[in-house]
Amino acid sequence: MPRVFVLTGPDVGLEREVAEGAVFGRGDDCAVHLRDPSVSRHHARVERVAGGWFVVDLGSRNGIASGGERAERIALKHGLEFTLGSVLVRFVDAPPIGARAAFDATLAYFGKARAGSGEPATFLLDEFLELRTFESFPGLRSVLRDLIGTLASSGNRFVLTSRYSARALRALRDAPAQFEIVHVAPLSASLFVGLNAFSDTGGTAFASFPIPNTPSLVGATVYVQSIWVEKAADGLACSASPFHVASSRGLTVTVQP
């Protein structure tokens, strides 16, 4: 059965199946009940004519439109978007996507996604072993192996985390060579530091904080977010900090945007 998805307005995210005769409107008796004030009490009705689907205006105050063109009747096809007053709605006439198709679409995204500059993107997949909970779904018996194979050939960078070291080792035992397993000691609050640095009249600022003398941090990367705040005509303005950030202990410092 066809469905409609509400894309704007107070009912955004609403999904309803629509049969022939289904009415859109603010009335409590409407199959697709919409609260937006631009929608009439009985705004439009779904009709099926000669095997095709249509939405027909019921003399509403603000009408129906598609592509910016107002009309009395709109022929519906899969993926078409139309408005009821100011509410945007999408018509979907396709069977719901299955578990395997949804997973394949996710894998395809991991393969083609890129950072804004066109460079490889970096993804954090937390507790990736939990994917095994989907192995009971149709077509997902090899979900973890399929994921690892896709990540290896995608050209992007992935950080996979797990609390279960032994299980992770087994899962990645036959993985391509570019996978590297790194054991990390539990993090503590002392590893997360926030500080302020105030520049002098010449625009120079200096701040430092101690790095815990923990063996597991040897060769680690320090991630920093640095923001430059200055007075502006309407208050304060923030921008990326012009300051150079470095480690005196030889750690790699990556400045996050």
Side-chain angles (χ1 to χ4, degrees), residues 188-201:
S188 66
S190 64
L191 299 179
F192 298 87
V193 181
L195 55 86
N196 296 320
F198 298 94
S199 64
D200 57 25
T201 56

Side-chain angles (χ1 to χ4, degrees), residues 13-46:
L14 179 70
E15 175 187 354
R16 287 288 184 270
E17 289 188 340
V18 287
E20 183 176 7
V23 174
F24 299 86
R26 288 189 293 109
D28 292 337
D29 58 335
C30 292
V32 185
H33 177 68
L34 301 170
R35 295 171 293 171
D36 193 284
S38 70
V39 175
S40 297
R41 182 173 176 82
H42 296 96
H43 197 107
R45 181 178 60 240
V46 174

Side-chain angles (χ1 to χ4, degrees), residues 166-177:
R167 295 181 192 176
L169 286 169
R170 287 196 298 270
L172 297 173
R173 179 177 51 200
D174 300 321

Side-chain angles (χ1 to χ4, degrees), residues 24-110:
F24 299 86
R26 288 189 293 109
D28 292 337
D29 58 335
C30 292
V32 185
H33 177 68
L34 301 170
R35 295 171 293 171
D36 193 284
S38 70
V39 175
S40 297
R41 182 173 176 82
H42 296 96
H43 197 107
R45 181 178 60 240
V46 174
E47 294 184 355
R48 188 165 175 82
V49 179
W53 293 98
F54 295 82
V55 60
V56 180
D57 187 17
L58 295 177
S60 63
R61 182 176 69 255
N62 294 310
I64 62 176
S66 177
E69 297 291 330
R70 188 162 172 169
E72 296 298 318
R73 174 190 294 252
I74 297 172
L76 300 174
K77 61 181 181 180
H78 175 65
L80 182 80
E81 295 180 356
F82 61 95
T83 55
L84 304 159
S86 62
V87 177
L88 184 63
V89 177
R90 177 180 294 137
F91 178 79
V92 176
D93 188 16
I97 188 170
R100 182 68 217 191
F103 183 63
D104 287 342
T106 302
L107 295 183
Y109 174 76
F110 283 151

